[in-house]
Amino acid sequence: MAKDRLDHFDRKILELIQQDGDLGPSELSARIFLSPSQSSRRLQRLRDEGYIERTAAILNPEKLNLGISAYVSVRLRSQAKEHVQSFRERVESLPEIVSCDYTTGEIDFMLRVHTKDLQSYSEFINSKLFSGNEVDNVRTFIIMKQLKSTTALSLEYC
């Protein structure tokens, strides 16, 4: 997108909405010093133009009894279209997987997984992730302590 498309007010709206997705036009207007109608129109335009894809709540995994968080690297046996498609469909169906990225290099996919405990994680890997024949190798990286967690994207480049 062109640099001149987002002005100071648009960037401020995006910054604030990333911090608190519940903010409405009245709250936004008080924080950015525009009228509620202007704030509402800008917010809607940012949604319409795809700057804001969706608004979601961020839940606490510990409160949901999800004690294990891990990154899982996956290498497929082959890059054949049917293997990739089969794996993709499985990933989309498994609620334990909260993100999946197609990567370059020695691994094909990097997953972010949440499970209850090590036993449920083992069951997830053996019974669900390996349920097809397209997975060649899996490596697990258990998260011991999270140092930073944000969904906020940098607005420096827009």
Side-chain angles (χ1 to χ4, degrees), residues 5-135:
R5 298 233 13 219
L6 295 182
D7 64 14
H8 166 75
F9 293 111
D10 292 333
R11 286 192 296 277
K12 191 66 178 172
I13 289 171
L14 292 175
E15 176 186 330
L16 292 169
I17 217 76
Q18 284 190 106
Q19 295 169 9
D20 184 355
D22 286 338
L23 288 176
S26 298
E27 295 93 353
L28 279 174
S29 71
R31 294 186 189 187
I32 63 172
F33 307 109
L34 283 178
S35 70
S37 62
Q38 276 280 1
S39 296
S40 180
R41 279 194 295 276
R42 284 176 176 265
L43 184 59
Q44 188 58 49
R45 180 181 54 77
L46 291 167
R47 284 192 165 110
D48 292 345
E49 292 179 1
Y51 289 97
I52 301 170
E53 289 184 6
R54 68 181 192 272
T55 305
I58 299 170
L59 305 181
N60 182 332
E62 289 178 17
K63 293 283 189 184
L64 301 173
N65 203 23
L66 297 170
I68 297 293
S69 295
Y71 289 103
V72 181
S73 66
V74 177
R75 186 174 60 223
L76 299 183
R77 293 187 193 284
S78 116
Q79 293 295 314
K81 186 177 180 179
E82 58 274 3
H83 283 149
V84 173
Q85 183 61 33
S86 175
F87 182 74
R88 180 183 213 160
E89 289 170 2
R90 185 167 333 100
V91 162
E92 290 176 2
S93 74
L94 297 173
E96 295 91 346
I97 300 172
V98 296
S99 72
C100 174
D101 297 300
Y102 197 27
T103 63
T104 62
E106 294 185 25
I107 63 168
D108 297 315
F109 298 93
M110 182 62 79
L111 312 178
R112 177 78 188 261
V113 175
H114 291 278
T115 64
K116 178 180 177 181
D117 52 25
L118 287 175
Q119 180 180 346
S120 62
Y121 178 77
S122 178
E123 291 169 7
F124 163 77
I125 292 293
N126 293 316
S127 300
K128 296 179 179 180
L129 199 60
F130 279 143
S131 67
N133 67 353
E134 68 279 348
V135 175

